[in-house]
Amino acid sequence: LEQLEAAFYEKVVEVGTLKGREMTLFTDIRDHEIAHREFFKSALGSAAIPALTPDFSMVDFKNRASIIQTAMTFED
């Protein structure tokens, strides 16, 4: 889950659809999810699963509502 969340928030920030306070919040969340991913990767060592290549083709990263709904799904 941490890999998926980190990848999602990295893509959100990269695409840049969100602006202002929303982008600031999503950038903070991205940074936290990256930290979580790296923590588990380090803690699990050789037992960690390999890096995933998530398929976000169902997410419209140019659409604010799509981004928010996907984020809510991950966080719930």
Side-chain angles (χ1 to χ4, degrees), residues 24-60:
T24 299
L25 292 171
F26 273 70
T27 301
D28 285 347
I29 295 168
R30 177 206 59 191
D31 294 346
H32 287 159
E33 295 302 344
I34 290 171
H36 296 163
R37 178 189 66 202
E38 295 305 312
F39 168 79
F40 282 113
K41 183 177 167 184
S42 176
L44 293 170
S46 63
I49 63 171
L52 302 175
T53 304
D55 176 4
F56 292 127
S57 61
M58 299 296 288
V59 181
D60 181 356

Side-chain angles (χ1 to χ4, degrees), residues 2-76:
E2 299 302 336
Q3 284 192 47
L4 291 172
E5 289 177 330
F8 170 73
Y9 291 110
E10 285 174 321
K11 183 73 172 178
V12 169
V13 172
E14 174 189 316
V15 172
T17 299
L18 302 178
K19 302 295 181 209
R21 181 82 174 128
E22 286 180 334
M23 182 57 92
T24 299
L25 292 171
F26 273 70
T27 301
D28 285 347
I29 295 168
R30 177 206 59 191
D31 294 346
H32 287 159
E33 295 302 344
I34 290 171
H36 296 163
R37 178 189 66 202
E38 295 305 312
F39 168 79
F40 282 113
K41 183 177 167 184
S42 176
L44 293 170
S46 63
I49 63 171
L52 302 175
T53 304
D55 176 4
F56 292 127
S57 61
M58 299 296 288
V59 181
D60 181 356
F61 286 96
K62 298 283 187 185
N63 180 289
R64 180 185 174 274
S66 178
I67 293 168
I68 301 294
Q69 183 60 51
T70 305
M72 288 172 52
T73 300
F74 274 126
E75 298 307 326
D76 284 347

